[in-house]
Amino acid sequence: MRTLTVDLGDRSYPIYIGSGIRQQKALFDAAIHGKQVMIVTNDTVAPLYLDALVTLLGDDYQVATCVLPDGEKHKTLDTYGQIMSSLLAANHNRTTTIIALGGGVIGDMAGFAAATYQRGVNFIQVPTTLLSQVDSSVGGKTGVNHPLGKNMIGAFYQPQAVIIDTDSLATLPPRELSAGMAEVIKYGLICDAEFLAWLEQHMTELMALDTSLITEAIYRSCEAKAKVVAMDEREGGVRAILNLGHTFGHAIETEMGYGEWLHGEAVAAGMVLAVDLSWRMGNLEEADVSRAVAIIQRADLPVLPPAKMTKDSFMAHMLRDKKVLDGSLRLVLLQALGEAIVTSDINVDEFNACLDDAIEAAQQG
Amino acid sequence: MRTLTVDLGDRSYPIYIGSGIRQQKALFDAAIHGKQVMIVTNDTVAPLYLDALVTLLGDDYQVATCVLPDGEKHKTLDTYGQIMSSLLAANHNRTTTIIALGGGVIGDMAGFAAATYQRGVNFIQVPTTLLSQVDSSVGGKTGVNHPLGKNMIGAFYQPQAVIIDTDSLATLPPRELSAGMAEVIKYGLICDAEFLAWLEQHMTELMALDTSLITEAIYRSCEAKAKVVAMDEREGGVRAILNLGHTFGHAIETEMGYGEWLHGEAVAAGMVLAVDLSWRMGNLEEADVSRAVAIIQRADLPVLPPAKMTKDSFMAHMLRDKKVLDGSLRLVLLQALGEAIVTSDINVDEFNACLDDAIEAAQQG
């Protein structure tokens, strides 16, 4: 098992990464402070892992469970309300601990529930997908979607601990493994050229879930994110580099309807757009673009937007996106592989050409 | 105009109190940081004050409005969702400022919206009822009700400023003025015997809305609450004394259905129960009880619970209340007039006698 500390002053917390650690009761005991525990999960993860966790904790705690329907389309205010109802129906009080057992959707919703149940209760993340292990488990972003925008409702709220069991990746559908790998690749692209080279060397074994290599990849991804988040917990500045590809990606997700394209898939296509635009604006070599596209492809991820996306649909969603400040478009671009910047200094012609070419390529299949 | 600072480190903020100050644009300018403003109000307050505020701010800011139905029964997750929809429909981004124009329900909901719109935006309170001026404007509690419990969903979130215009009390229904006075009296009972004596001296003029005296009463109430909140922002300890009468009061509100009894009315009856129990447990003289009952009556407030409350309904709601930690009942009692304590050391016989006698007296009308 490896341990990483996310350094946020009195909100610091440990991330444990290892094989089989969801059965190490001591990790939970250290992070639970009261007698009540509410495990929030979904109907895909529950049959796999819920009983074992209830059994592990059931002797020492009053354990209640809340099993939600699986899928991004259920990441709504209504589903969040169901968690609140479960907590109240079980008479849980302010000393309860909410455990999120599942992927990013479960983590975001359970985290938002923890942030807002009786104005804040204890919270543990047990992320079961690669995406949630390397992304939402670090940084404290919680929330739900709104029909008019993704993650528009939420709070910054840090967990007490994150317990990442790499064994849970074995049950993950291949498409979701790829989606998670998109974020792993992102860390290489935005802040760690050496890690990017390491990924190029090991992508085949990583996609085959080599235990030791995947533990390393998760550790380095969490470490990269933790460093950025520690500098900027509430996303006032540098943290925005974590959104490489996300402004394009959110437009894709919103236009397609949540859940049609996985978040990581949309981000992958979005990262290619951002890398391409960086090259068009003179920041990258053509060979850099090829390397970025190649590693994304090796993770079985899309490198073009969906064929149904139009220029208008991109623009409509990007202007509503929260990364647009006061109407002027800001994007994360690369200055080199491993070095991202946030800029509103976008060349409009190159921006249009970048989108037009990608849309045309996508439509030609 | 008087100014009070709520001292919470980097979350400190000013409270301005005075006649006509809702028209002082400089107070708003100092607290608005972006270009977008969303005024959240209700259909009772809007006809009185909304146009003037829109006109005041409209030249310098993009002002949108969200007018909600009036009443505690609308303090729900659904209504909160309406605020979110209004913000998104108006394309408001993370630099927006939400202004709560109304009573406690509007302040709580708009504050929770500010805490959770895009994970937190700027927030100004313009409380228009006496209750919200002396209670919810200080301390940062925001949230909505759930069918299974009051204020069960919410966050701690501090405003940028609070602007209290005493003129708005002139349009307040007498019953709501009384309900607000319950909290004013509470501050005297829990922490300021000298203020309690001042209230006994001036209650007649206060109920007649003498401008100078009501400004003083609001200032001293906010000051008392600010002191307590500064010691304990997240309600881990001493802040609980602010809940004198509230555990009983919440049981009354929940049993009656939100809005049937005003919050302040329920708290008034609850404070009499707490004072009575304090006397039965030997902490107060009989004359202290008489003084407390008399000042509450002079503010035209109930001193007995509603006739339909039974012992069972009190107990069922009090055990679910968030002030009950791990099943053991904790109550705020008085050790003397002007000195509150929080205790779980409750004499069960006296507790039962206190409730039984009050219920019997209420049923006899």
Side-chain angles (χ1 to χ4, degrees), chain A residues 40-44 66-70 79-80 82-83 106 109:
Chain A
V40 178
T41 188
N42 68 37
D43 51 16
T44 302
C66 175
V67 180
L68 302 172
D70 187 14
T79 310
Y80 157 82
Q82 282 180 42
I83 305 175
I106 287 295
M109 285 200 293

Side-chain angles (χ1 to χ4, degrees), chain B residues 120-141:
Chain B
V121 298
N122 204 16
F123 173 44
I124 299 172
Q125 294 249 32
V126 185
T128 57
T129 66
L130 181 59
L131 177 63
S132 59
Q133 291 173 351
V134 299
D135 183 14
S136 51
S137 68
V138 186
K141 284 190 176 179

Side-chain angles (χ1 to χ4, degrees), chain A residues 80 85 88 91 93-95 112 116 118-119 141-142 146 152-154 156 234-235 320 322 326, chain B residues 80 85 88 91 93-95 112 116 118-119 141-142 146 152-154 156 234-235 320 322 326:
Chain A
Y80 157 82
S85 297
L88 285 162
N91 273 318
N93 59 43
R94 291 165 60 175
T95 66
F112 187 46
T116 56
Q118 301 198 17
R119 301 195 192 92
K141 284 189 178 181
T142 71
H146 185 281
M152 284 290 137
I153 300 175
F156 285 100
R234 298 185 72 87
E235 201 168 19
R320 181 173 285 140
K322 65 178 176 300
D326 285 329
Chain B
Y80 157 81
S85 298
L88 285 161
N91 273 317
N93 60 40
R94 291 163 63 176
T95 66
F112 187 45
T116 56
Q118 302 199 17
R119 302 193 190 94
K141 284 190 176 179
T142 71
H146 185 282
M152 285 290 138
I153 301 174
F156 285 99
R234 296 186 72 88
E235 201 167 19
R320 179 173 286 139
K322 66 178 173 299
D326 285 330

Side-chain angles (χ1 to χ4, degrees), chain B residues 17-219:
Chain B
I17 308 161
S19 167
I21 64 171
R22 68 186 167 80
Q23 286 301 309
Q24 290 190 23
K25 181 158 176 291
L27 299 180
F28 290 91
D29 287 338
I32 299 172
H33 301 320
K35 292 181 189 136
Q36 299 178 315
V37 169
M38 171 64 76
I39 305 172
V40 178
T41 188
N42 67 37
D43 51 17
T44 302
V45 174
L48 299 170
Y49 305 121
L50 182 57
D51 283 354
L53 188 54
V54 171
T55 302
L56 185 74
L57 302 176
D59 285 346
D60 288 359
Y61 306 100
Q62 300 163 34
V63 180
T65 62
C66 175
V67 180
L68 303 171
D70 187 16
E72 179 91 20
K73 71 171 179 289
H74 299 291
K75 188 177 161 181
T76 63
L77 215 43
D78 276 352
T79 310
Y80 157 81
Q82 282 180 42
I83 305 175
M84 293 300 178
S85 298
S86 297
L87 286 159
L88 285 161
N91 273 317
H92 277 224
N93 60 40
R94 291 163 63 176
T95 66
T96 190
T97 296
I98 295 178
I99 299 179
L101 175 68
V105 171
I106 286 296
D108 284 5
M109 286 200 292
F112 187 45
T116 56
Y117 185 63
Q118 302 199 17
R119 302 193 190 94
V121 298
N122 204 16
F123 173 44
I124 299 172
Q125 294 249 32
V126 185
T128 57
T129 66
L130 181 59
L131 177 63
S132 59
Q133 291 173 351
V134 299
D135 183 14
S136 51
S137 68
V138 186
K141 284 190 176 179
T142 71
V144 298
N145 297 326
H146 185 282
L148 294 176
K150 198 169 145 64
N151 291 320
M152 285 290 138
I153 301 174
F156 285 99
Y157 199 69
Q158 306 299 342
Q160 200 67 26
V162 180
I163 298 169
I164 297 177
D165 190 335
T166 54
D167 291 3
S168 61
L169 300 180
T171 56
L172 202 62
R175 212 179 135 195
E176 291 203 34
L177 181 69
S178 293
M181 204 59 79
E183 299 281 348
V184 175
I185 294 167
K186 183 192 75 180
Y187 296 113
L189 291 173
I190 61 172
C191 64
D192 194 342
E194 196 268 321
F195 181 46
L196 185 68
W198 185 90
L199 289 171
E200 289 175 322
Q201 194 184 338
H202 295 297
M203 187 51 74
T204 307
E205 301 97 302
L206 287 170
M207 292 300 287
L209 291 178
D210 176 287
T211 300
S212 148
L213 289 172
I214 202 85
T215 299
E216 176 72 13
I218 293 168
Y219 183 91

